[in-house]
Amino acid sequence: MEVPVSHYLKSEDVELALKALDRCVVDGKANDAGEDCYQNLAQWLKRRQGSKALRDRAMYLIQRYEKLRH
């Protein structure tokens, strides 16, 4: 049975996820690490945590990453 991941990410975890997702977007490749970051950031955004600038950056990268997934 899979244990649910906590989506209460610390700010440094959010930064790491954003950097990893950014790397996927820059490289133009979706991968397992990018998918994990994508899922975690999507859940994090639903909780409306962090500053507006950080949320905007996450939304931008998520939208760009979604294009890579298709």
Side-chain angles (χ1 to χ4, degrees), residues 53-67:
L54 205 55
R55 290 192 313 269
D56 288 348
R57 182 174 168 214
M59 279 299 299
Y60 172 77
L61 288 171
I62 282 174
Q63 289 169 350
R64 296 281 310 272
Y65 186 80
E66 285 173 345
K67 292 178 183 176

Side-chain angles (χ1 to χ4, degrees), residues 2 7 12-13 15-17 20 22 25-26 28 44 50-51 58-59 62 67 69:
E2 203 170 307
H7 294 292
E12 58 267 16
D13 295 334
E15 280 298 327
L16 288 173
D22 185 55
V25 168
V26 168
W44 175 78
S51 68
M59 279 299 299
I62 282 174
K67 292 178 183 176
R69 296 169 79 202

